[in-house]
Amino acid sequence: MILVTGCAGFIGSNFIHTWLASQDEPVVNLDKLTYAGNLENLSSLSGDPRHIFVQGDIGDKDLVSGLLAKYKPRSVLNFAAESHVDRSILGPGEFIQTNVVGTFNLLEAVRAYWNELPAEGDSLTKSNFRFLHVSTDEVYGTLAPNDPPFAETNPYEPNSPYAASKASSDHLVRAWHHTYGLPVLTTNCSNNYGPYHFPEKLIPLVILNALDGKPLPIYGDGQQVRDWLFVQDHCRAIMRVLEAGRVGETYNIGGWNEMANIDVVKTICSRLDVLRPRTDGRKYAEQITFVKDRPGHDRRYAIDARKIEKELGWKPQETFESGIQKTVQWYLDNPEWVKGVTSGEYRKWLGRQYG
Ligand code: NAD
Ligand code: DAU
């Protein structure tokens, strides 16, 4: 049994699908179901006893302690977070609450549980328990065009409220290992894309806006660079780190796939031109619109993934070409999911722009 948090969201739900596709070890999924949490992402597991869903907050220490006592997980994996940079700029409070205070409370509940585990003589002991914290490359700040990609040794220089809150949580996790001996692992991954991605983020937003005949908003000059990784490759990397990562270490995860935003958007447009041509015969790229830039927008992220490749033998299975093809096709094949996710609250968010 493992306990995962935030797994009704994009990466977490993909993680549960990837995990249960290769084994039967059950998962308890603790998720608050914020605007980003969506049980539709897990509907194919309905009735499957290997997935136990609990609605709740990682910051609720009593709830977490109760779940730990009841299910006795061998590991806890923390995916739960407020994850969108634009929202963190417009309202940073929730980011501090969940990503910093929530992670602190979760660590404290886990530390109390771990303290009571036997040192030896049982299948679950103090030394084979793991707390794996899922984090981001944004903690390292931004790169100039000729800088080498982020290695695990880069200093933390977070620039957005989101990045600063994630950096804080990484530091708490590190300190709980160094001070209390909690066996932790931290992963810092680059930009993910794939199925179940909430359409406030660039790639799903562009796919759905294109199909709706809406503008495709590009912040600033569109030359900002991100390092894209197909979400299932990220999930496989997390599984590998959980299995074989060295306690107390951090692992950067990325697919050596830097692309400027404008090229990502043009690639999506050209895929859609083939898979679902516009009825007026024109090209989707005509919908591209340059808009006011995100404040403090980081110019470039890139991951040096040599540590996880060499130590743990992980490599991505998808290229950007194969991954984006699958992603665009997935959105075309799942109109009911799209309808659900784009109704209600989401509509309010879509209207906003920096100005
Ligand atoms: P997401 O926003 O899609 O999902 C977050 C999930 O966490 C949602 O289901 C939400 O309901 C839940 N949640 C939020 N606050 C909670 C709380 N207080 N208690 C319990 N559950 C709560 O995010 P995502 O893109 O799936 O990201 C998952 C993790 O991976 C985050 O920690 C994020 O920082 C990290 N990450 C994301 C990316 C990316 O490209 N999306 C890249 C690297 C790292
Ligand atoms: O690098 C990892 C991070 O990637 C994760 O930690 C975050 O949780 C995740 O949201 C993502 O952050 P980004 O800010 O890079 O992702 P987003 O999809 O919001 O934006 C990608 C790039 O596209 C970024 O340079 C901003 C730009 N952009 C975004 C939107 C939503 C646009 O040009 N137009 C848009 O409408």
Side-chain angles (χ1 to χ4, degrees):
M1 175 76 76
I2 60 169
L3 173 66
V4 295
T5 71
C7 284
F10 163 49
I11 299 175
S13 57
N14 277 286
F15 179 82
I16 290 181
H17 289 303
T18 308
W19 177 270
L20 292 179
S22 64
Q23 64 198 295
D24 286 328
E25 186 175 5
V27 293
V28 180
N29 175 10
L30 172 65
D31 194 298
K32 189 177 172 183
L33 295 183
T34 67
Y35 78 94
N38 182 3
L39 287 177
E40 284 300 309
N41 299 355
L42 297 159
S43 59
S44 62
L45 292 172
S46 151
D48 188 326
R50 299 173 304 164
H51 174 234
I52 300 159
F53 180 75
V54 179
Q55 183 171 5
D57 195 317
I58 56 166
D60 183 342
K61 232 170 96 182
D62 291 341
L63 172 67
V64 176
S65 299
L67 293 175
L68 293 168
K70 180 172 177 185
Y71 293 107
K72 301 192 176 11
R74 68 174 173 98
S75 298
V76 174
L77 283 71
N78 184 30
F79 293 81
E82 287 294 333
S83 70
H84 192 36
V85 174
D86 291 329
R87 285 183 192 258
S88 84
I89 294 167
L90 296 167
E94 277 303 305
F95 288 72
I96 303 304
Q97 207 47 51
T98 283
N99 300 1
V100 185
V101 182
T103 303
F104 159 70
N105 283 318
L106 178 66
L107 279 167
E108 279 296 81
V110 170
R111 181 165 74 93
Y113 166 71
W114 172 76
N115 263 331
E116 297 301 317
L117 294 177
E120 55 190 29
D122 212 338
S123 59
L124 175 57
T125 62
K126 269 200 165 66
S127 58
N128 66 18
F129 176 82
R130 295 287 180 271
F131 179 89
L132 190 152
H133 181 61
V134 178
S135 193
T136 170
D137 59 359
E138 301 203 11
V139 298
Y140 297 120
T142 189
L143 293 167
N146 294 322
D147 285 343
F150 301 128
E152 288 79 358
T153 47
N154 275 48
Y156 272 33
E157 292 177 348
N159 289 322
S160 70
Y162 163 71
S165 69
K166 290 296 290 186
S168 307
S169 65
D170 293 10
H171 289 321
L172 292 174
V173 170
R174 176 188 162 90
W176 261 238
H177 172 63
H178 281 265
T179 304
Y180 305 115
L182 188 70
V184 305
L185 298 155
T186 297
T187 55
N188 295 88
C189 189
S190 61
N191 283 64
N192 286 215
Y193 66 100
Y196 308 116
H197 205 180
F198 191 80
E200 63 189 351
K201 310 280 167 51
L202 179 71
I203 287 184
L205 177 84
V206 163
I207 297 171
L208 298 189
N209 274 16
L211 293 170
D212 265 3
K214 292 183 182 152
L216 311 179
I218 306 270
Y219 295 164
D221 63 3
Q223 293 303 325
Q224 304 83 3
V225 170
R226 297 291 182 267
D227 187 348
W228 294 97
L229 183 69
F230 192 62
V231 63
Q232 281 152 21
D233 279 322
H234 183 193
C235 296
R236 283 186 277 266
I238 291 171
M239 285 171 61
R240 188 71 195 121
V241 172
L242 181 66
E243 185 179 58
R246 284 184 293 133
V247 166
E249 292 290 315
T250 68
Y251 292 89
N252 283 359
I253 304 171
W256 303 99
N257 188 63
E258 291 183 56
M259 278 180 88
N261 291 338
I262 185 71
D263 296 328
V264 169
V265 173
K266 284 181 176 166
T267 303
I268 294 168
C269 288
S270 57
R271 290 303 149 103
L272 283 171
D273 286 334
V274 175
L275 294 170
R276 180 73 57 85
R278 271 174 54 158
T279 47
D280 61 5
R282 302 175 79 141
K283 300 285 181 203
Y284 284 103
E286 290 179 39
Q287 291 167 229
I288 291 174
T289 311
F290 290 88
V291 298
K292 198 168 167 69
D293 207 352
R294 172 186 279 176
H297 198 171
D298 283 337
R299 198 71 184 159
R300 174 179 166 234
Y301 304 143
I303 282 281
D304 178 341
R306 280 177 296 179
K307 180 173 171 180
I308 188 169
E309 289 173 358
K310 282 196 186 131
E311 273 190 25
L312 304 182
W314 171 85
K315 273 219 184 305
Q317 293 179 11
E318 302 288 346
T319 61
F320 187 71
E321 289 65 34
S322 65
I324 201 70
Q325 176 79 17
K326 286 185 178 174
T327 304
V328 172
Q329 192 64 57
W330 188 87
Y331 280 86
L332 291 173
D333 290 345
N334 288 278
E336 283 306 312
W337 183 91
V338 169
K339 206 167 131 198
V341 91
T342 53
S343 57
E345 273 301 295
Y346 175 71
R347 300 213 169 273
K348 287 189 208 153
W349 173 253
L350 260 193
R352 67 101 200 89
Q353 275 200 347
Y354 292 116

